[in-house]
């Protein structure tokens, strides 16, 4: 008896592998090897991108429901959730916009927040780049002008500490119609 499955001849060439690298201030004009200083470190559980889109529809007398072709985009942004096991001071400060680290004189720093987030607290972007079966380093996402907007979750345990951060993309006032997110995927010529 034959099984009904969605596997196609091209399936092995369309697979995406690995958690990838999280890159602070990613530059698409440079190779990944040229940007290793911007890699944010090892993650746990991969990275998750959510594109938030709110559609609105007009209320039309006599219509029993939503009418095809009448949807309008009211909101469009993106959030990324990433849990790090490789934790450095820059990542902690990225997670707490408006915070600063002060040397304590004992080989440690104290991180506190004394102000509201400002424009300079936004990173240029955060990217997650991983491998596609057809081309390494060719799949991922970029969120632009991200600011950590979720709660900072720092978990200590008998194993390894981890810090979970949620960033939200922000529009730039100088280009308010430019979406603050993009997806990266190999072109058809690379996949075929």
């Amino acid at each position: 008896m034959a099984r009904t499955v969605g596997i196609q001849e091209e399936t092995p060439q369309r697979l995406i592998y690995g958690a990838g690298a999280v890159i602070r201030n990613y530059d698409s004009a440079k190779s990944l090897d040229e940007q290793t200083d911007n890699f944010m470190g090892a993650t746990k559980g991969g990275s998750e991108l959510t594109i938030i889109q709110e559609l609105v529809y007009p209320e039309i007398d006599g219509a029993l429901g939503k009418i095809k072709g009448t949807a309008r985009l009211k909101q469009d942004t993106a959030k990324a959730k990433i849990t790090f096991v490789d934790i450095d001071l820059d990542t902690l400060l990225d997670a707490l916009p408006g915070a600063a680290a002060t040397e304590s004189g004992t080989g440690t720093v104290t991180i506190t927040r004394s102000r509201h987030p400002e424009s300079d607290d936004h990173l240029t972007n955060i990217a997650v780049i991983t491998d596609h079966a057809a081309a390494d380093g060719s799949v991922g996402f970029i969120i632009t002008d991200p600011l950590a907007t979720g709660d900072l979750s720092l978990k200590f345990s008998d194993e390894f500490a981890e810090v979970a951060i949620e960033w939200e993309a922000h529009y730039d006032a100088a280009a308010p119609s430019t979406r603050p997110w993009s997806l990266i995927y190999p072109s058809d010529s690379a996949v075929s």
Side-chain angles (χ1 to χ4, degrees):
M1 174 180 215
R3 290 181 27 204
T4 303
V5 297
I7 299 171
Q8 300 174 358
E9 185 177 336
E10 300 85 6
T11 296
Q13 290 80 41
R14 294 181 183 160
L15 298 177
I16 297 172
Y17 300 99
V22 181
I23 306 168
R24 179 188 290 116
N25 300 328
Y26 172 73
D27 183 347
S28 61
K30 293 182 179 180
S31 72
L32 292 178
D33 290 338
E34 295 175 283
Q35 300 183 72
T36 55
D37 288 345
N38 291 354
F39 284 22
M40 293 184 70
T43 60
K44 177 182 176 183
S47 304
E48 180 181 346
L49 173 73
T50 303
I51 297 174
I52 301 151
Q53 54 187 4
E54 182 181 351
L55 300 175
V56 294
Y57 294 85
E59 291 185 26
I60 301 173
D61 290 342
L64 298 176
K66 297 173 183 173
I67 304 298
K68 176 180 167 181
T70 62
R72 293 295 174 256
L73 192 60
K74 181 177 180 182
Q75 179 182 356
D76 180 21
T77 192
K79 290 185 178 184
K81 293 180 186 176
I82 304 169
T83 300
F84 293 93
V85 293
D86 186 343
I87 305 166
D88 66 9
L89 181 59
D90 287 338
T91 300
L92 290 172
L93 291 172
D94 287 346
L96 293 166
T102 306
E103 286 285 341
S104 65
T106 61
T108 62
V109 296
T110 301
I111 300 171
T112 57
R113 184 181 312 181
S114 61
R115 62 175 175 80
H116 294 287
E118 297 173 354
S119 183
D120 288 344
D121 291 318
H122 291 260
L123 299 173
T124 301
N125 64 49
I126 291 177
V128 175
I129 308 296
T130 193
D131 299 328
H132 187 278
D136 288 348
S138 64
V139 175
F141 64 82
I142 303 169
I143 60 171
T144 306
D145 294 317
L147 187 71
T149 56
D151 296 335
L152 171 65
S153 175
L154 185 57
K155 179 181 176 184
F156 299 107
S157 71
D158 288 337
E159 295 180 10
F160 297 97
E162 53 190 67
V163 61
I165 305 172
E166 180 177 278
W167 282 282
E168 186 171 352
H170 286 72
Y171 283 81
D172 186 337
S177 61
T178 301
R179 301 290 191 270
W181 58 268
S182 58
L183 301 176
I184 301 168
Y185 193 81
S187 66
D188 285 344
S189 62
V191 175
S192 48

